[in-house]
């Protein structure tokens, strides 16, 4: 049974890791875990410039982000299909904003690693914002 729009919104706003699927040059799928932020209308993600995913998305912007309930919870998932635009502004800000949630010391115990990562990101200007505009949202 599909989730309502309000249930999808609530599900996507919870702290989760999604799986971003992009297309390789031969058309085969390429799936990677990724942090994301649901705005209520679009999915925002970040990455470094020049990564394989930015090259795949520059060549073919079609993608989907699939997010699932962890093991032990009720079976539930949301998949957002659409196209991704690579934006020069906003990637670093999103990375630092998301790090506060994903690296919350109450959830993430490796504070030495997270501290080094955040310090590196604060000094870097090598980010792009990935903006996924939905054409279809599926759920259960």
């Amino acid at each position: 049974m599909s989730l309502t729009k309000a249930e999808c919104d609530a599900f996507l706003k919870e702290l989760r890791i999604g799986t971003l699927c992009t297309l390789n040059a031969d058309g085969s799928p390429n799936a990677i875990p990724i942090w994301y932020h649901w705005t209520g209308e679009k999915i925002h993600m970040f990455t470094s410039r020049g990564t394989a995913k930015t090259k795949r998305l520059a060549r073919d912007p079609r993608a989907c982000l699939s997010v699932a309930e962890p093991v032990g919870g009720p079976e539930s998932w949301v998949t957002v299909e659409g196209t991704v635009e690579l934006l020069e502004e906003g990637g670093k800000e999103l990375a630092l904003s998301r790090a506060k949630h994903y690296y919350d010391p109450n959830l993430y115990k490796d504070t030495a690693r997270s501290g080094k990562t955040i310090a590196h990101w604060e000094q870097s200007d090598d980010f792009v914002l990935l903006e996924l505009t939905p054409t279809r949202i599926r759920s259960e």
Side-chain angles (χ1 to χ4, degrees):
M1 175 185 235
S2 295
L3 301 175
T4 66
K5 178 168 180 3
E7 290 170 331
C8 283
D9 284 345
F11 186 89
L12 290 171
K13 286 186 180 194
E14 290 184 30
L15 187 63
R16 303 176 190 278
I17 295 176
T19 301
L20 177 66
C21 295
T22 58
L23 297 173
N24 291 315
D26 65 2
S28 63
N30 189 303
I32 57 163
I34 195 165
W35 296 356
Y36 70 92
H37 172 70
W38 171 243
T39 70
E41 295 182 12
K42 298 182 180 197
I43 297 282
H44 285 169
M45 300 160 284
F46 65 91
T47 191
S48 297
R49 286 181 182 79
T51 62
K53 79 174 97 34
T54 60
K55 291 174 185 173
R56 288 190 300 273
L57 289 165
R59 185 184 62 255
D60 187 337
R62 294 176 297 165
C64 72
L65 180 80
S66 190
V67 183
E69 184 72 33
V71 173
E75 183 178 341
S76 192
W77 55 267
V78 175
T79 296
V80 181
E81 301 172 359
T83 56
V84 174
E85 185 176 356
L86 303 172
L87 303 172
E88 289 297 318
E89 300 294 322
K92 178 177 182 174
E93 293 77 13
L94 181 64
L96 294 172
S97 168
R98 294 283 79 197
K100 292 177 186 174
H101 300 285
Y102 285 94
Y103 284 157
D104 179 335
N106 295 315
L107 302 172
Y108 190 85
K109 303 303 179 199
D110 190 351
T111 55
R113 179 178 178 184
S114 62
K116 286 180 187 176
T117 299
I118 292 169
H120 173 73
W121 288 355
E122 288 173 336
Q123 301 303 313
S124 177
D125 289 320
D126 190 36
F127 288 100
V128 292
L129 182 71
L130 308 176
E131 184 175 75
L132 174 59
T133 300
T135 55
R136 180 168 78 153
I137 298 177
R138 298 182 301 128
S139 65
E140 185 163 311

